[in-house]
Amino acid sequence: MPIIVPDTLAVSTVPQRALVVDDEPRLRQVLVRLMTRDGFECADAANGDEAIRQLERTPVTLVMSDLRMPGTDGVELLRTIRERWPNTAVVMITAVSDVDVAVRCLALGAMDYLTKPFHLEEVRARVRQALDKRRLLLENREHQLRLEARVAEQARSLESLFLASMQSLADALEVKDPYTRGHSIRVSLYSVSIAHALGLGTDVIRQIELGGHLHDIGKIGVRESVLKKPGPLTEEEYRHIMTHPVVGWKLLNPLLSDMPLALDIVRSHHERVDGCGMPDGLAGDAIPLVARIAAVADSFDAMTSDRPYRVGLSMAAARQELWRCAGTQYDPDVVAAFDAAVEEGEISIGA
Protein backbone atom coordinates (compact mmCIF):
# COMPACT_ATOMS: atom_id res chain seq x y z
CA MET A 1 0.00 0.00 0.00
CA PRO A 2 1.30 3.52 -0.73
CA ILE A 3 2.90 5.38 2.16
CA ILE A 4 1.34 8.77 2.84
CA VAL A 5 3.40 11.18 4.90
CA PRO A 6 1.11 12.85 7.47
CA ASP A 7 1.80 16.52 8.16
CA THR A 8 1.49 15.96 11.91
CA LEU A 9 4.80 14.09 12.00
CA ALA A 10 6.65 17.05 10.56
CA VAL A 11 7.00 18.78 13.94
CA SER A 12 10.10 20.72 12.87
CA THR A 13 11.68 21.99 9.69
CA VAL A 14 14.92 20.45 10.98
CA PRO A 15 14.96 16.68 10.30
CA GLN A 16 14.67 14.62 13.48
CA ARG A 17 16.88 11.58 14.00
CA ALA A 18 15.49 8.12 14.64
CA LEU A 19 17.15 4.80 15.40
CA VAL A 20 15.46 1.44 14.69
CA VAL A 21 16.82 -1.46 16.77
CA ASP A 22 15.79 -5.01 15.88
CA ASP A 23 17.56 -8.27 15.15
CA GLU A 24 15.25 -8.95 12.18
CA PRO A 25 16.78 -7.24 9.12
CA ARG A 26 13.53 -7.20 7.14
CA LEU A 27 11.62 -5.46 9.93
CA ARG A 28 14.40 -2.90 10.34
CA GLN A 29 14.31 -2.20 6.62
CA VAL A 30 10.54 -1.60 6.62
CA LEU A 31 10.66 0.76 9.61
CA VAL A 32 13.72 2.67 8.35
CA ARG A 33 12.02 3.20 4.99
CA LEU A 34 8.82 4.43 6.68
CA MET A 35 10.62 6.78 9.08
CA THR A 36 12.82 8.18 6.29
CA ARG A 37 9.83 8.90 4.07
CA ASP A 38 8.12 10.57 7.02
CA GLY A 39 10.97 13.09 7.29
CA PHE A 40 13.37 11.45 9.74
CA GLU A 41 17.09 10.90 9.40
CA CYS A 42 16.97 7.22 10.26
CA ALA A 43 19.64 4.70 11.18
CA ASP A 44 19.34 1.10 12.33
CA ALA A 45 21.08 -1.35 14.66
CA ALA A 46 20.83 -5.12 14.97
CA ASN A 47 21.03 -5.24 18.79
CA GLY A 48 21.22 -3.12 21.93
CA ASP A 49 25.03 -3.02 22.09
CA GLU A 50 25.28 -1.68 18.55
CA ALA A 51 22.51 0.83 19.32
CA ILE A 52 24.41 2.19 22.31
CA ARG A 53 27.55 2.63 20.21
CA GLN A 54 25.55 4.56 17.63
CA LEU A 55 23.90 6.74 20.29
CA GLU A 56 27.33 7.57 21.72
CA ARG A 57 28.31 8.89 18.31
CA THR A 58 25.02 10.56 17.38
CA PRO A 59 22.14 11.05 19.87
CA VAL A 60 18.65 10.78 18.37
CA THR A 61 15.15 12.07 19.04
CA LEU A 62 13.42 8.68 18.81
CA VAL A 63 14.45 5.06 19.35
CA MET A 64 12.20 2.20 18.20
CA SER A 65 13.52 -0.96 19.85
CA ASP A 66 12.58 -4.62 19.79
CA LEU A 67 12.10 -6.15 23.24
CA ARG A 68 13.84 -9.50 22.72
CA MET A 69 17.32 -9.34 21.18
CA PRO A 70 20.60 -11.19 21.74
CA GLY A 71 23.05 -9.44 24.08
CA THR A 72 21.64 -6.23 25.49
CA ASP A 73 17.88 -6.65 25.17
CA GLY A 74 15.26 -3.94 24.81
CA VAL A 75 14.68 -3.51 28.56
CA GLU A 76 18.37 -2.95 29.30
CA LEU A 77 18.66 -0.65 26.30
CA LEU A 78 15.70 1.37 27.61
CA ARG A 79 17.32 1.69 31.05
CA THR A 80 20.57 2.87 29.47
CA ILE A 81 18.79 5.43 27.29
CA ARG A 82 16.80 6.80 30.24
CA GLU A 83 20.01 7.19 32.22
CA ARG A 84 22.30 8.59 29.53
CA TRP A 85 19.96 10.21 26.99
CA PRO A 86 16.83 11.13 29.00
CA ASN A 87 15.44 13.43 26.28
CA THR A 88 15.15 10.54 23.81
CA ALA A 89 11.68 9.10 23.20
CA VAL A 90 11.59 5.29 23.20
CA VAL A 91 8.89 3.11 21.58
CA MET A 92 9.16 -0.61 22.34
CA ILE A 93 8.37 -3.28 19.71
CA THR A 94 7.14 -6.63 21.01
CA ALA A 95 5.24 -9.79 20.22
CA VAL A 96 1.74 -10.17 21.61
CA SER A 97 3.02 -12.66 24.20
CA ASP A 98 5.32 -9.98 25.69
CA VAL A 99 2.73 -7.25 26.11
CA ASP A 100 2.94 -7.43 29.90
CA VAL A 101 6.69 -6.80 29.70
CA ALA A 102 6.11 -3.92 27.30
CA VAL A 103 3.64 -2.36 29.71
CA ARG A 104 6.22 -2.60 32.47
CA CYS A 105 8.60 -0.78 30.14
CA LEU A 106 6.22 2.19 30.25
CA ALA A 107 6.95 2.45 33.97
CA LEU A 108 10.68 2.48 33.12
CA GLY A 109 10.20 5.47 30.84
CA ALA A 110 9.15 4.13 27.44
CA MET A 111 6.75 6.50 25.69
CA ASP A 112 4.70 3.75 24.00
CA TYR A 113 4.89 0.25 22.50
CA LEU A 114 3.95 -1.58 19.29
CA THR A 115 2.90 -5.23 18.99
CA LYS A 116 3.89 -7.39 16.05
CA PRO A 117 2.47 -7.61 13.47
CA PHE A 118 1.55 -3.96 13.04
CA HIS A 119 0.17 -1.66 10.33
CA LEU A 120 2.25 1.24 9.10
CA GLU A 121 -0.48 3.74 10.06
CA GLU A 122 -0.34 2.36 13.59
CA VAL A 123 3.40 2.99 13.60
CA ARG A 124 2.77 6.57 12.54
CA ALA A 125 0.19 7.06 15.29
CA ARG A 126 2.45 5.59 17.99
CA VAL A 127 5.43 7.65 16.86
CA ARG A 128 3.31 10.79 16.75
CA GLN A 129 2.02 10.07 20.25
CA ALA A 130 5.51 9.37 21.60
CA LEU A 131 6.89 12.60 20.15
CA ASP A 132 3.95 14.57 21.57
CA LYS A 133 4.69 13.12 25.02
CA ARG A 134 8.36 13.95 24.61
CA ARG A 135 7.54 17.53 23.58
CA LEU A 136 5.25 18.00 26.59
CA LEU A 137 7.88 16.60 28.96
CA LEU A 138 10.56 18.92 27.57
CA GLU A 139 8.22 21.91 27.70
CA ASN A 140 7.28 21.09 31.30
CA ARG A 141 10.94 20.69 32.22
CA GLU A 142 11.83 24.00 30.58
CA HIS A 143 8.90 25.67 32.32
CA GLN A 144 10.06 24.24 35.66
CA LEU A 145 13.58 25.51 35.07
CA ARG A 146 12.24 28.97 34.23
CA LEU A 147 10.16 28.95 37.41
CA GLU A 148 13.14 27.85 39.48
CA ALA A 149 15.28 30.59 37.92
CA ARG A 150 12.58 33.17 38.65
CA VAL A 151 12.25 32.00 42.25
CA ALA A 152 16.04 32.11 42.67
CA GLU A 153 16.13 35.62 41.22
CA GLN A 154 13.36 36.77 43.56
CA ALA A 155 15.18 35.17 46.50
CA ARG A 156 18.36 37.06 45.57
CA SER A 157 16.40 40.31 45.33
CA LEU A 158 14.78 39.72 48.72
CA GLU A 159 18.14 38.85 50.24
CA SER A 160 19.71 42.01 48.81
CA LEU A 161 16.83 44.08 50.20
CA PHE A 162 17.16 42.38 53.57
CA LEU A 163 20.92 42.90 53.73
CA ALA A 164 20.45 46.54 52.76
CA SER A 165 17.99 46.91 55.63
CA MET A 166 20.46 45.32 58.03
CA GLN A 167 23.19 47.66 56.81
CA SER A 168 20.85 50.59 57.42
CA LEU A 169 20.51 49.43 61.02
CA ALA A 170 24.28 49.32 61.36
CA ASP A 171 24.56 52.78 59.80
CA ALA A 172 21.95 54.07 62.24
CA LEU A 173 24.16 52.86 65.09
CA GLU A 174 27.17 54.72 63.74
CA VAL A 175 25.12 57.93 63.55
CA LYS A 176 24.38 57.40 67.24
CA ASP A 177 28.02 56.59 68.05
CA PRO A 178 30.19 58.66 65.66
CA TYR A 179 33.42 57.53 67.34
CA THR A 180 32.91 54.04 65.91
CA ARG A 181 32.18 55.22 62.36
CA GLY A 182 33.32 52.49 59.96
CA HIS A 183 34.02 50.06 62.82
CA SER A 184 31.45 47.45 61.77
CA ILE A 185 32.62 47.44 58.16
CA ARG A 186 36.26 47.05 59.22
CA VAL A 187 35.42 44.23 61.65
CA SER A 188 33.57 42.50 58.84
CA LEU A 189 36.52 42.85 56.46
CA TYR A 190 39.08 41.74 59.06
CA SER A 191 36.91 38.75 60.02
CA VAL A 192 36.57 37.66 56.39
CA SER A 193 40.36 37.87 55.92
CA ILE A 194 40.92 35.71 59.02
CA ALA A 195 38.31 33.23 57.78
CA HIS A 196 40.11 32.98 54.43
CA ALA A 197 43.38 32.33 56.25
CA LEU A 198 41.67 29.52 58.19
CA GLY A 199 40.37 28.02 54.92
CA LEU A 200 36.68 28.29 55.78
CA GLY A 201 33.98 27.71 53.16
CA THR A 202 32.04 30.22 51.10
CA ASP A 203 28.75 30.02 53.01
CA VAL A 204 30.51 30.34 56.38
CA ILE A 205 32.46 33.37 55.15
CA ARG A 206 29.24 34.92 53.83
CA GLN A 207 27.68 34.64 57.28
CA ILE A 208 30.86 35.94 58.92
CA GLU A 209 30.73 39.00 56.68
CA LEU A 210 27.14 39.72 57.70
CA GLY A 211 27.78 38.99 61.38
CA GLY A 212 30.72 41.39 61.34
CA HIS A 213 28.52 44.14 59.94
CA LEU A 214 25.89 43.57 62.62
CA HIS A 215 27.92 42.49 65.64
CA ASP A 216 27.36 45.74 67.56
CA ILE A 217 23.76 46.36 66.48
CA GLY A 218 22.58 45.88 70.07
CA LYS A 219 24.28 49.15 71.01
CA ILE A 220 21.16 50.82 69.65
CA GLY A 221 19.75 50.01 73.09
CA VAL A 222 22.70 51.53 74.98
CA ARG A 223 22.39 55.01 76.52
CA GLU A 224 24.10 57.68 74.42
CA SER A 225 25.72 59.11 77.53
CA VAL A 226 27.55 55.81 77.93
CA LEU A 227 28.39 55.38 74.26
CA LYS A 228 29.81 58.88 73.98
CA LYS A 229 31.57 59.00 77.35
CA PRO A 230 35.11 60.28 76.66
CA GLY A 231 36.73 58.51 79.61
CA PRO A 232 36.77 55.11 81.33
CA LEU A 233 33.44 53.51 82.18
CA THR A 234 32.17 52.82 85.67
CA GLU A 235 31.31 49.24 86.63
CA GLU A 236 27.60 49.97 86.13
CA GLU A 237 28.23 51.61 82.76
CA TYR A 238 30.37 48.67 81.65
CA ARG A 239 27.66 46.17 82.62
CA HIS A 240 25.12 48.32 80.76
CA ILE A 241 27.12 48.52 77.55
CA MET A 242 27.85 44.80 77.68
CA THR A 243 24.16 44.05 77.37
CA HIS A 244 24.46 44.84 73.66
CA PRO A 245 25.32 41.28 72.48
CA VAL A 246 22.08 39.85 73.89
CA VAL A 247 20.05 42.89 72.80
CA GLY A 248 21.40 42.53 69.26
CA TRP A 249 20.82 38.77 69.26
CA LYS A 250 17.21 39.20 70.38
CA LEU A 251 16.68 41.91 67.77
CA LEU A 252 18.08 39.86 64.90
CA ASN A 253 17.04 36.34 65.90
CA PRO A 254 13.63 36.49 64.14
CA LEU A 255 15.27 37.90 61.01
CA LEU A 256 18.36 35.70 60.69
CA SER A 257 16.99 32.25 61.50
CA ASP A 258 18.60 30.88 58.35
CA MET A 259 21.98 32.46 59.17
CA PRO A 260 22.82 31.02 62.60
CA LEU A 261 26.55 31.74 62.33
CA ALA A 262 25.91 35.46 61.91
CA LEU A 263 23.74 35.30 65.05
CA ASP A 264 26.58 33.50 66.87
CA ILE A 265 28.85 36.45 66.11
CA VAL A 266 26.33 38.98 67.37
CA ARG A 267 25.80 37.12 70.66
CA SER A 268 29.26 35.72 71.41
CA HIS A 269 31.88 38.15 70.09
CA HIS A 270 32.69 39.25 73.67
CA GLU A 271 33.22 35.73 75.01
CA ARG A 272 36.76 34.79 76.12
CA VAL A 273 38.48 31.45 75.69
CA ASP A 274 39.22 31.39 79.45
CA GLY A 275 35.48 31.54 80.18
CA CYS A 276 35.52 35.04 81.67
CA GLY A 277 33.64 36.72 78.83
CA MET A 278 30.05 37.79 78.28
CA PRO A 279 27.16 37.15 78.05
CA ASP A 280 27.24 33.36 78.59
CA GLY A 281 30.68 32.70 80.08
CA LEU A 282 31.55 30.22 77.32
CA ALA A 283 35.10 28.85 77.20
CA GLY A 284 37.40 27.37 74.57
CA ASP A 285 35.76 25.49 71.73
CA ALA A 286 32.33 26.04 73.29
CA ILE A 287 32.59 29.53 71.81
CA PRO A 288 31.56 29.32 68.13
CA LEU A 289 34.60 29.63 65.86
CA VAL A 290 32.99 32.51 63.97
CA ALA A 291 32.64 34.43 67.26
CA ARG A 292 36.29 33.74 68.15
CA ILE A 293 37.23 35.18 64.75
CA ALA A 294 35.07 38.27 65.23
CA ALA A 295 36.51 38.78 68.74
CA VAL A 296 40.04 39.14 67.33
CA ALA A 297 38.86 41.40 64.49
CA ASP A 298 36.78 43.54 66.88
CA SER A 299 39.60 43.95 69.39
CA PHE A 300 42.17 44.76 66.71
CA ASP A 301 40.02 47.54 65.30
CA ALA A 302 39.30 48.91 68.76
CA MET A 303 43.02 48.91 69.59
CA THR A 304 44.07 50.67 66.41
CA SER A 305 41.27 53.28 66.31
CA ASP A 306 41.72 56.74 67.79
CA ARG A 307 39.45 57.73 70.68
CA PRO A 308 38.99 61.13 72.35
CA TYR A 309 40.88 59.81 75.38
CA ARG A 310 43.71 57.95 73.58
CA VAL A 311 45.54 57.44 70.28
CA GLY A 312 45.20 54.12 68.49
CA LEU A 313 47.99 51.54 68.68
CA SER A 314 50.33 50.81 65.81
CA MET A 315 50.04 47.57 63.88
CA ALA A 316 53.05 46.08 65.66
CA ALA A 317 51.76 47.04 69.11
CA ALA A 318 48.29 45.67 68.36
CA ARG A 319 49.70 42.36 67.12
CA GLN A 320 51.83 42.10 70.25
CA GLU A 321 48.78 42.73 72.44
CA LEU A 322 46.75 40.07 70.62
CA TRP A 323 49.47 37.51 71.24
CA ARG A 324 49.82 38.58 74.87
CA CYS A 325 46.14 37.74 75.39
CA ALA A 326 46.15 34.58 73.22
CA GLY A 327 45.01 31.60 75.25
CA THR A 328 43.11 33.73 77.77
CA GLN A 329 41.02 36.23 75.83
CA TYR A 330 41.62 35.05 72.26
CA ASP A 331 41.92 31.73 70.45
CA PRO A 332 45.66 31.29 69.58
CA ASP A 333 44.79 29.62 66.25
CA VAL A 334 42.67 32.62 65.28
CA VAL A 335 45.43 35.03 66.29
CA ALA A 336 47.86 33.02 64.15
CA ALA A 337 45.43 33.22 61.21
CA PHE A 338 45.14 36.97 61.80
CA ASP A 339 48.94 37.25 61.65
CA ALA A 340 49.02 35.22 58.44
CA ALA A 341 46.45 37.56 56.86
CA VAL A 342 48.55 40.57 57.91
CA GLU A 343 51.68 39.03 56.40
CA GLU A 344 49.78 38.36 53.16
CA GLY A 345 48.73 42.00 53.01
CA GLU A 346 45.06 41.13 53.55
CA ILE A 347 44.79 43.20 56.74
CA SER A 348 46.09 46.68 57.39
CA ILE A 349 45.04 49.40 59.80
CA GLY A 350 41.87 51.13 58.63
CA ALA A 351 41.44 48.73 55.68
Side-chain angles (χ1 to χ4, degrees), residues 209-225:
E209 181 179 17
L210 179 60
H213 275 293
L214 301 175
H215 74 286
D216 273 345
I217 200 68
K219 286 184 178 178
I220 287 177
V222 174
R223 299 191 301 269
E224 289 191 28
S225 60

Side-chain angles (χ1 to χ4, degrees), residues 1 9 13 29 34 103 113 128 134 139 146 182 210 226 230 255 278 300 336:
M1 90 181 188
L9 278 184
T13 57
Q29 184 180 28
L34 172 66
V103 171
Y113 68 92
R128 185 159 52 245
R134 174 182 180 272
E139 287 177 354
R146 284 200 300 267
L210 179 60
V226 176
L255 305 174
M278 295 185 177
F300 172 73

